[in-house]
Amino acid sequence: MTAFRVELFARYAELLGAEEVALELPTPVTVSMVTDALRALPGGEVLPARPVLARNLRIAAPADTIEPGDLLALLPPLAGG
Amino acid sequence: MTAFRVELFARYAELLGAEEVALELPTPVTVSMVTDALRALPGGEVLPARPVLARNLRIAAPADTIEPGDLLALLPPLAGG
Amino acid sequence: MAALTTEPIDQTALGALVLRPGYGAVTSFVGHVRNHHGGRSVDRLCYSAYHQMAERECAAIAEEAMTRWEVVVAVRHRLGDLVVGDIAVAVAIGSAHRAEGFAACRFVIEEVKRRVPIWKHEHYADGTSAWVDPTAGVERSESEGP
Amino acid sequence: MAALTTEPIDQTALGALVLRPGYGAVTSFVGHVRNHHGGRSVDRLCYSAYHQMAERECAAIAEEAMTRWEVVVAVRHRLGDLVVGDIAVAVAIGSAHRAEGFAACRFVIEEVKRRVPIWKHEHYADGTSAWVDPTAGVERSESEGP
């Protein structure tokens, strides 16, 4: 198992009622495993099927592998500018 | 004959040593007659063959006719901006 | 220089940052808070960001522009509470040539909107609020009532 | 509003002129005096104009832009003595949409350079001076030394 934390922002932080979530998943962990685990949390059911996850400050692909210590963040649709 | 004045600017005012020139030409007066008359003045020989003349605040064509009271100005190459 | 700020953005100061003695052209884009969105009357809004990634993306966008064109780039995005008319985002491009300045300015503002993790929570005149989702129009917030 | 001014141009004030509550985008172009031209080191310069025609052309250019795009236009050109770094010309465009703002801003600055009767007398570090002729490079002034 690998333990890690995912930062949440804006509407997604509101939906899940937290700015950070701690997860533990069987190694090797992929991005889609993380987003599926977030969607299984209370409030997570309204997340899109493939929400955007950033890994080490870059948008990650669903099949990317998560390493221990990676910076993870779930990104709602961007609305800057 | 028609009498009129032509305003001069920038390098052309320097060349002709005046900011305004008074001319009298046989009616009907055309733009090219005005520019030819200006080129015949002392210092005017270095003007281009077809210098730009503005008539009533618009660029005039060489064959345009000048009416008494028209605002005339000889424009060196523009260099604004 | 940090791209994100909670202080009001000074466009003149931003333009001065990209001025070089040999660069005469400064092209800029400034986005102000509008008084309406999606047919609703906007009172105020709040921008938040994934701070570390947003700074990284702004720096990367500026780098990309400076690689593609011979320009100097400055970008600022405001965070926190803003009212109608406030500057939300500003881009300034210093260049020797106009064409490069316009191309780089357009590129930077488009990329900022596309790539920088910033979110906008709008508060409307009728007391409601919503997170703005440019991919789907305006979503009603779950946390605040109509 | 007069386009020609002998006072320093305030870019922030110009941007404020084109801001409307429903128009969030302000696109601007500012041209500063450069420290060189045609391989020569520029100290200062003097802009002069055919005042009445220049005002008329600036107003016509703004009108044309406002007809072609849904924008608000402000243009200023400085006259008189300027030093390196001073703002010579500034264009600000207010619009609801970025694309229109960029298109109108580019149009206005190109037309100002092409159509407005303004002339530039440059003074160089070596003590010489010349009238700038964009159609032919730099012409040596007849009235001043080598």
Side-chain angles (χ1 to χ4, degrees):
Chain A
M1 300 291 276
T2 307
F4 49 87
R5 310 178 77 80
V6 182
E7 282 192 85
L8 304 173
F9 292 95
R11 180 160 179 264
Y12 292 174
E14 262 185 29
L15 290 175
L16 294 167
E19 297 197 333
E20 196 172 69
V21 168
L23 295 174
E24 202 173 326
L25 291 170
T27 311
V29 181
T30 63
V31 164
S32 58
M33 284 165 68
V34 174
T35 56
D36 287 348
L38 292 166
R39 295 182 71 225
L41 295 175
E45 62 278 357
V46 297
L47 288 174
R50 290 260 173 269
V52 176
L53 195 82
R55 174 175 166 261
N56 296 331
L57 310 182
R58 290 165 195 271
I59 304 295
D64 286 358
T65 306
I66 306 297
E67 306 288 340
D70 279 354
L71 281 174
L72 301 180
L74 193 68
L75 309 184
L78 310 186
Chain B
M1 299 292 276
T2 305
F4 48 87
R5 310 179 77 82
V6 182
E7 284 192 84
L8 305 173
F9 292 96
R11 181 160 179 265
Y12 292 173
E14 263 184 27
L15 290 176
L16 295 166
E19 297 196 333
E20 196 172 68
V21 168
L23 295 174
E24 201 173 326
L25 291 171
T27 310
V29 181
T30 63
V31 165
S32 58
M33 283 164 68
V34 174
T35 55
D36 287 348
L38 292 166
R39 295 182 70 224
L41 294 175
E45 61 278 359
V46 298
L47 288 174
R50 290 261 172 267
V52 176
L53 193 82
R55 174 175 166 261
N56 297 330
L57 312 182
R58 290 163 197 273
I59 305 296
D64 287 358
T65 306
I66 308 295
E67 306 290 341
D70 279 354
L71 283 174
L72 302 180
L74 192 69
L75 309 184
L78 310 185
Chain C
M1 193 92 177
L4 306 180
T5 175
T6 55
E7 300 296 314
I9 293 168
D10 179 344
Q11 194 198 347
T12 301
L14 200 67
L17 285 180
V18 300
L19 202 58
R20 300 285 177 274
Y23 280 14
V26 177
T27 312
S28 7
F29 178 85
V30 176
H32 296 260
V33 176
R34 285 193 284 176
N35 65 355
H36 68 271
H37 182 233
R40 295 159 85 180
S41 185
V42 174
D43 259 2
R44 61 191 176 88
L45 54 77
C46 184
Y47 279 109
S48 56
Y50 179 17
H51 209 284
Q52 208 179 343
M53 181 174 169
E55 286 289 359
R56 190 196 156 281
E57 284 296 327
C58 286
I61 292 165
E63 273 303 317
E64 287 170 31
M66 292 190 277
T67 303
R68 242 170 111 169
W69 297 281
E70 211 178 296
V71 295
V72 182
V73 176
V75 191
R76 292 291 179 278
H77 201 297
R78 182 126 174 240
L79 299 181
D81 294 313
L82 281 75
V83 297
V84 172
D86 282 348
I87 295 180
V89 62
V91 176
I93 308 289
S95 63
H97 305 290
R98 291 192 298 291
E100 291 194 312
F102 277 97
C105 192
R106 186 76 197 269
F107 169 81
V108 170
I109 185 64
E110 298 300 333
E111 291 299 290
V112 165
K113 285 177 171 271
R114 195 175 71 79
R115 287 163 53 179
V116 180
I118 291 178
W119 299 281
K120 175 156 67 169
H121 199 205
E122 288 184 338
H123 295 263
Y124 306 103
D126 62 7
T128 62
S129 68
W131 292 99
V132 175
D133 179 357
T135 66
V138 179
E139 287 182 37
R140 194 59 68 93
S141 164
E142 304 299 311
S143 68
E144 287 175 71
Chain D
M1 194 91 174
L4 306 180
T5 176
T6 55
E7 300 297 313
I9 294 169
D10 179 343
Q11 194 197 350
T12 301
L14 200 68
L17 284 181
V18 300
L19 202 58
R20 300 286 177 277
Y23 281 15
V26 178
T27 312
S28 11
F29 178 84
V30 175
H32 297 259
V33 176
R34 286 192 284 177
N35 66 353
H36 68 271
H37 182 233
R40 295 159 83 180
S41 186
V42 175
D43 258 2
R44 60 190 177 88
L45 53 79
C46 184
Y47 280 110
S48 55
Y50 180 17
H51 210 282
Q52 208 179 345
M53 182 174 169
E55 286 289 359
R56 192 198 154 280
E57 284 296 326
C58 286
I61 292 164
E63 272 304 314
E64 287 170 30
M66 292 191 276
T67 303
R68 243 171 110 170
W69 298 282
E70 210 176 296
V71 296
V72 182
V73 176
V75 191
R76 291 291 179 278
H77 201 297
R78 183 126 173 239
L79 298 181
D81 295 313
L82 280 76
V83 297
V84 172
D86 281 348
I87 296 180
V89 61
V91 176
I93 308 289
S95 63
H97 305 289
R98 291 192 297 290
E100 293 194 309
F102 277 97
C105 192
R106 186 76 198 269
F107 169 81
V108 170
I109 185 64
E110 298 300 333
E111 291 299 291
V112 166
K113 286 176 172 271
R114 194 174 72 77
R115 288 163 52 178
V116 180
I118 291 178
W119 299 281
K120 176 157 65 170
H121 198 208
E122 288 183 338
H123 296 263
Y124 306 103
D126 62 8
T128 62
S129 68
W131 291 100
V132 175
D133 178 357
T135 66
V138 179
E139 287 182 39
R140 194 61 64 95
S141 165
E142 305 300 311
S143 66
E144 287 173 75

